[in-house]
Amino acid sequence: MTPSIDIHEDGHVHTRLCNHAVGEMEDYVEQAVQRGLTTLVFLEHLETDIRYPQPSWLNDEDFAVYFREGERLKQQYRGVIDIRLGAETGFNPAAIPIIRRRLADYPFERVGVSCHFYRHGDVHLNLLSNRRQSLDKFAAIGADTVITAYFNALTEAVATLDCDVLCHLDAVLRHLPGICFNDGHKRQIEQLLDSMQAKNVALEINTSGFDYRGTPFPADWIVAAALRRGISLRAGSDAHQPSEVGRHFDRLPAYLAGIKSLSTSGATK
Ligand SMILES: [Zn+2]
Ligand SMILES: [Zn+2]
């Protein structure tokens, strides 16, 4: 049997409100309707106490616009498509109480967790950036050190935040050439999956990976390890422009059917 995933729900889209995506919320809804989706979940970037020159997240005023427009769209598209308003919460280990308070204060209908930033001295570096300058800095710090900190952060995030889904689990340093995980990182991933299983946190199958590297985030062996634990899967396009809503979802059933055999054969690499 194919592992169950709802390919009529896109659980992860952004809008122009985050400063690095384009398109109004309604443009994303329209695209989702055209694609035949039944549910669209906005998962806008929420970051806390990050020192970075170009904010790539929503401030409080942006979130006010987000909820106002989101509620209007829910009414307008009632009976056509189910719209949910969530957040992709960037974890910052130095700001846990504030993050928890913000998640409690906003009426988010889904909370995703990710980790986009690495603290380096007084500033943060973007772990998902393709900019030469930041890739050089990460190379100087040492990719292994950075990846270890990243998986520690995600495990702490799952343990300390009320969250529903873990986003693009292995996207860390996705633009660093020759990136690979060592045995220690693989053990960290297994521990992270254990915490997700214990707290009933779903794993996102992020189809932006098809465009970046030919397969979704995370890698097949991680999905297989999640399925062995009974962790549920959610599809997310991580759309940053309306045309990306639901991207490659038609490829997921066959892709996951292949992974199912991997998960039952016990292979882990
Ligand atoms: Zn983004
Ligand atoms: Zn995202």
Side-chain angles (χ1 to χ4, degrees):
M1 201 189 99
T2 304
S4 91
I5 193 164
D6 183 358
I7 59 165
H8 299 288
E9 171 186 304
D10 189 338
H12 186 162
V13 305
H14 297 278
T15 72
R16 64 157 184 92
L17 291 167
C18 72
N19 306 314
H20 64 281
V22 296
E24 301 294 332
M25 291 176 83
E26 186 158 7
D27 300 331
Y28 287 80
V29 175
E30 273 297 323
Q31 183 70 26
V33 172
Q34 276 178 31
R35 290 246 163 150
L37 300 185
T38 55
T39 304
L40 180 68
V41 187
F42 289 96
L43 214 62
E44 276 290 24
H45 288 289
L46 177 135
E47 295 287 345
T48 307
D49 286 358
I50 296 295
R51 294 190 188 179
Y52 193 67
Q54 311 90 16
S56 51
W57 53 84
L58 283 71
N59 61 28
D60 289 341
E61 281 167 32
D62 298 323
F63 272 116
V65 172
Y66 176 62
F67 284 109
R68 205 165 49 234
E69 175 66 357
E71 288 303 326
R72 185 188 75 78
L73 291 168
K74 280 185 186 206
Q75 300 301 326
Q76 184 174 326
Y77 286 85
R78 187 176 296 275
V80 179
I81 186 167
D82 196 7
I83 298 169
R84 308 224 178 115
L85 306 174
E88 177 179 358
T89 311
F91 189 66
N92 176 357
I96 296 171
I98 313 174
I99 300 173
R100 287 171 58 92
R101 195 171 66 233
R102 296 182 76 199
L103 289 180
D105 285 351
Y106 283 120
F108 292 124
E109 295 168 293
R110 184 168 306 168
V111 173
V113 157
S114 61
C115 180
H116 283 76
F117 292 97
Y118 178 86
R119 172 116 180 231
H120 184 55
D122 283 344
V123 296
H124 286 90
L125 305 176
N126 188 338
L127 291 160
L128 277 71
S129 166
N130 62 359
R131 288 174 54 220
R132 181 82 231 180
Q133 211 185 1
S134 73
L135 291 175
D136 286 348
K137 279 189 187 146
F138 282 127
I141 297 164
D144 284 356
T145 304
V146 173
I147 295 168
T148 300
Y150 170 83
F151 285 121
N152 281 338
L154 287 182
T155 302
E156 191 177 11
V158 168
T160 56
L161 304 181
D162 255 338
C163 56
D164 304 301
V165 58
L166 196 128
C167 303
H168 47 65
L169 184 147
D170 67 348
V172 59
L173 300 182
R174 64 187 172 188
H175 295 291
L176 198 67
I179 181 78
C180 70
F181 297 150
N182 62 32
D183 287 345
H185 300 140
K186 287 174 184 164
R187 278 194 297 276
Q188 284 185 290
I189 291 170
E190 299 277 354
Q191 284 163 6
L192 172 57
L193 293 171
D194 286 341
S195 332
M196 291 167 63
Q197 179 188 31
K199 289 199 70 181
N200 203 16
V201 174
L203 178 70
E204 176 187 75
I205 305 299
N206 187 302
T207 56
S208 75
F210 278 116
D211 291 332
Y212 280 110
R213 63 182 191 184
T215 58
F217 301 110
D220 55 2
W221 70 269
I222 298 174
V223 180
L227 290 173
R228 282 197 297 275
R229 289 167 172 80
I231 292 172
S232 52
L233 307 179
R234 287 197 178 277
S237 69
D238 215 343
H240 282 70
Q241 53 189 46
S243 63
E244 292 172 344
V245 172
R247 62 174 135 177
H248 309 301
F249 280 16
D250 53 338
R251 298 166 70 174
L252 286 179
Y255 179 75
L256 291 172
I259 291 180
K260 179 70 177 173
S261 52
L262 202 65
S263 78
T264 48
S265 72
T268 57
K269 302 261 160 67

